[in-house]
Amino acid sequence: MEEDANYGHQLETAGWLQTRIIISEQVAHLAYNSDHLIEINPDEILGADCVLIVASQSCDIANRQHPFVELRVAFPIDKVKPSYTHNNHPRKLHISVFVATQEGIRPQAFELNIHQKILISKQKLTDVIYCENSDLDEQTKRDFKYWLAAQYTRPALPTIFNDRLSAADPKKSRRKAAKSLHKDALGIYIEINPFAELPPEQQYSVNLLVMLEANADSNDAQVVASSEKIEALMEAAGMDVNLQIRKETEISVAVLKRFSRLYLDDLSFKDEFSILPPDINPTL
């Protein structure tokens, strides 16, 4: 009987996994026949040459108790901007999709928005074939997964800490410069002491960690300049800052657990009426 069909097993057998890519020729059909569209109009997809990327965890795809597969919409862009890579921005992610052609492997740049998603039943997805000639590299696959998770796990820093950064940069010029991260930067991490709401006469002490890819040069002039822009933003807010630039292979898990990831873009939403409660147990 149809209700007993294990569509998850069928998808697993067909090779469906998280980060599989559905090319543009099938996107419009899936959007118009989806079960749920969130923050996306199917008319936006028509003629946009966008692709869909499977966001559901691979085990959930195979598990028959999960009736839907979550897909994320990626729109083509001219180029990848470093400030939107490596989960550096909470709402946007820029990625390169590598496409195999007769001329060789070529990258294509795409942008994803965290709020835009499509839910499609597993039964409907069994009629779709994912693209075997398109894929993400391993680092981008990790970035995509961390970016999805960060929607729920990114920490709320002390309100006073955020307010001081905002007050030190009312025209947002420093923040704009600081967000122009070097392409090798995987993320900005901070350890705030004390992690609390401080009165005006007390100062925050910040351990600022800029984490780089394993093969990056931590002494590269552009890397240092990009990191020092972030340091200057905090110093302008009256904070005592200790900047460290380290490769991911030089940082232990024990050390990283002490730090919270900093999303500079979140500060652009701060105003005199907004309140951001501090996390009791800040996470990465």
Side-chain angles (χ1 to χ4, degrees):
M1 297 177 62
E2 186 175 15
E3 58 266 29
D4 294 327
N6 190 342
Y7 296 111
H9 178 68
Q10 293 180 37
L11 294 175
E12 180 184 27
T13 302
W16 283 93
L17 299 169
Q18 188 178 41
T19 72
R20 290 296 194 195
I21 295 172
I22 301 171
I23 57 176
S24 56
E25 287 79 356
Q26 303 183 73
V27 170
H29 170 75
L30 282 174
Y32 279 105
N33 291 278
S34 67
D35 295 272
H36 299 283
L37 282 173
I38 301 174
E39 296 291 332
I40 189 74
N41 186 322
D43 292 336
E44 295 179 53
I45 296 175
L46 288 177
D49 288 331
C50 57
V51 300
L52 301 178
I53 302 176
V54 176
S56 293
Q57 206 270 346
S58 298
C59 292
D60 290 343
I61 296 172
N63 192 327
R64 68 190 306 165
Q65 294 183 355
H66 296 268
F68 301 104
V69 173
E70 180 183 324
L71 307 172
R72 293 300 177 125
V73 185
F75 288 92
I77 54 177
D78 292 333
K79 65 178 181 178
V80 169
K81 296 182 179 179
S83 56
Y84 294 133
T85 62
H86 300 314
N87 186 21
N88 285 319
H89 192 287
R91 284 166 292 282
K92 292 182 181 180
L93 179 68
H94 284 190
I95 62 171
S96 291
V97 174
F98 292 90
V99 182
T101 67
Q102 292 181 344
E103 291 76 28
I105 305 296
R106 60 182 179 88
Q108 292 183 335
F110 289 91
E111 178 180 281
L112 298 96
N113 183 303
I114 193 65
H115 301 299
Q116 295 177 328
K117 65 184 74 173
I118 295 175
L119 297 181
I120 190 82
S121 72
K122 291 179 180 179
Q123 180 182 2
K124 294 176 183 177
L125 199 58
T126 56
D127 296 326
V128 177
I129 300 175
Y130 62 84
C131 183
E132 295 184 352
N133 295 328
S134 300
D135 202 0
L136 309 177
D137 62 26
E138 292 304 315
Q139 179 63 58
T140 304
K141 288 179 181 179
R142 290 193 294 271
D143 292 342
F144 178 65
K145 296 172 187 177
Y146 293 152
W147 178 71
L148 292 173
Q151 184 180 11
Y152 306 102
T153 61
R154 71 181 188 267
L157 303 175
T159 302
I160 298 300
F161 177 86
N162 287 328
D163 286 347
R164 290 183 184 181
L165 286 179
S166 297
D169 187 31
K171 295 184 178 180
K172 304 177 184 177
S173 57
R174 287 183 181 271
R175 258 171 291 172
K176 183 177 180 180
K179 286 189 288 186
S180 300
L181 291 174
H182 190 273
K183 62 181 178 61
D184 291 334
L186 292 175
I188 310 166
Y189 295 86
I190 55 174
E191 182 182 26
I192 304 173
N193 294 303
F195 194 91
E197 306 292 346
L198 295 184
E201 65 274 11
Q202 291 189 22
Q203 181 185 48
Y204 283 109
S205 177
V206 181
N207 288 323
L208 172 62
L209 172 64
V210 177
M211 186 165 64
L212 306 178
E213 293 182 345
N215 59 354
D217 179 4
S218 56
N219 294 315
D220 180 89
Q222 291 183 342
V223 170
V224 174
S226 176
S227 303
E228 287 179 344
K229 290 177 183 178
I230 306 167
E231 179 185 31
L233 170 62
M234 294 183 176
E235 289 178 340
M239 301 175 185
D240 181 23
V241 186
N242 174 33
L243 170 62
Q244 297 290 323
I245 305 172
R246 293 288 183 268
K247 301 178 185 179
E248 57 182 333
T249 51
E250 299 173 335
I251 306 169
S252 69
V253 174
V255 169
L256 201 55
K257 282 183 176 179
R258 302 191 339 240
F259 286 75
S260 299
R261 182 150 189 172
L262 177 65
Y263 294 92
L264 288 170
D265 185 73
D266 279 348
L267 300 176
S268 64
F269 286 85
K270 288 288 294 167
D271 57 41
E272 60 180 323
F273 303 108
S274 59
I275 299 175
L276 292 178
D279 277 351
I280 301 301
N281 295 306
T283 57
L284 297 181

